Amino acid sequence: MAIALAGAGALVLDHIGLAQEALDRMLPLRSLVKDDIAAPQAAAFWLRLATLGTSGRLPRDALLDAQARGLRLCRTLGSRRLLHTGLCTAAWSLNMVGESAAAEAMLQEIADLERSGDPAWLRCTRLNLHAAICHHQSRFEESACLLEQQQAQLLAAPGEHSALIGCRSNLCVILNCLERHDEALAIARSALQQHGGATGASSYLRFQLLHAQIALDRIDEARRTLRDAVPVWRRDSLL
């Protein structure tokens, strides 16, 4: 029960911008995840730990160990959706530690698990992963195309606001890398008008908007964006 509650609580904390706090609560429980723990609970624990451990929050070996344990369990459970999650988490972890080629090699297996009736966010998870792999390899044009596909699918699906703002934030990063600052500015401004109150991705969108405005020499606009962004960044513990 403690393992299941830890995983569920970590998910909530992560969604409200408290990923490090969630990780701190999960780490002491690793020794409790024994063979007699129900496999779905154990798999969810290790996958959540791996997800929280990206961006340098866990040492490389600990991160790869968590994703490998989670994926190994997913392969035993006979659940297509859970295996899809396990593969995406494993590939994301590999990409984050510089193993982009190994992560990219997993994309076809992930695609083979997808069905036309799956929700848009699930089908877009692979696109987001592929775009991140391309980003890490400086394949910015490919990354932009993948994120534009993801944006189109999410716009066509109802109720995907959270995934959509994350996608648009990622797209603005790539467009700024490509010096397509006018496009980044337009997308960031539109997304903030629609979803500006959301935590997490909206904070990064404000940074991308600021980046585009400065690159386009729209300094007065950039000053206003910075003034409005600072309280949001403080709210989200980015300052």
Side-chain angles (χ1 to χ4, degrees):
M1 180 61 74
I3 300 303
L5 289 173
L11 179 63
V12 173
L13 288 171
D14 189 18
H15 277 210
I16 61 174
L18 297 174
Q20 187 59 54
E21 289 82 351
L23 185 63
D24 291 343
R25 284 161 174 76
M26 292 190 75
L27 286 174
L29 297 174
R30 286 180 294 180
S31 62
L32 300 179
V33 187
K34 306 291 187 181
D35 291 341
D36 57 348
I37 296 291
Q41 294 178 9
F45 177 90
W46 291 117
L47 294 179
R48 177 55 48 192
L49 186 64
T51 300
L52 292 169
T54 57
S55 304
R57 294 191 186 98
L58 271 181
R60 174 191 174 94
D61 289 348
L63 173 60
L64 294 180
D65 177 68
Q67 63 86 6
R69 288 172 183 263
L71 180 56
R72 187 164 56 248
L73 287 165
C74 289
R75 291 192 183 281
T76 69
L77 292 170
S79 167
R80 175 181 65 86
R81 292 273 292 266
L82 185 57
L83 180 56
H84 187 279
T85 298
L87 287 164
C88 287
T89 301
W92 186 270
S93 300
L94 288 166
N95 189 50
M96 294 300 291
V97 298
E99 300 288 346
S100 298
E104 191 162 14
M106 301 173 72
L107 290 171
Q108 187 58 56
E109 184 178 4
I110 294 169
D112 290 343
L113 290 168
E114 294 169 6
R115 303 292 183 268
S116 59
D118 288 336
W121 64 264
L122 186 143
R123 289 181 281 109
C124 286
T125 300
R126 175 176 48 83
L127 292 174
N128 185 58
L129 170 63
H130 196 175
I133 292 168
C134 291
H135 183 186
H136 280 216
Q137 296 177 339
S138 298
R139 292 154 51 193
F140 299 125
E141 291 286 359
E142 288 180 67
S143 185
C145 288
L146 289 160
L147 289 167
E148 286 166 351
Q149 291 177 44
Q150 183 186 3
Q151 179 181 231
Q153 290 190 29
L154 292 170
L155 282 169
E160 298 289 2
H161 305 301
S162 178
L164 180 59
I165 193 171
C167 169
R168 286 177 157 177
S169 178
N170 293 333
L171 179 56
C172 287
V173 172
I174 301 302
L175 291 174
N176 276 326
C177 287
L178 290 167
E179 299 185 356
R180 290 161 58 180
H181 302 301
D182 284 315
E183 294 173 69
L185 187 149
I187 291 171
R189 182 172 286 160
S190 172
L192 286 168
Q193 287 173 350
Q194 295 176 43
H195 313 293
T199 59
S202 73
S203 290
Y204 295 110
L205 267 170
R206 293 172 200 277
F207 177 78
Q208 296 307 320
L209 176 60
L210 181 64
H211 181 167
Q213 289 168 331
I214 293 171
L216 294 167
D217 201 28
R218 299 168 75 156
I219 303 304
D220 288 340
E221 291 181 26
R223 287 196 181 99
R224 289 194 294 271
T225 296
L226 181 61
R227 185 176 59 248
D228 293 341
V230 166
V232 178
W233 292 340
R234 285 179 174 153
R235 179 199 69 187
D236 294 344
S237 301
L238 296 176
L239 285 179

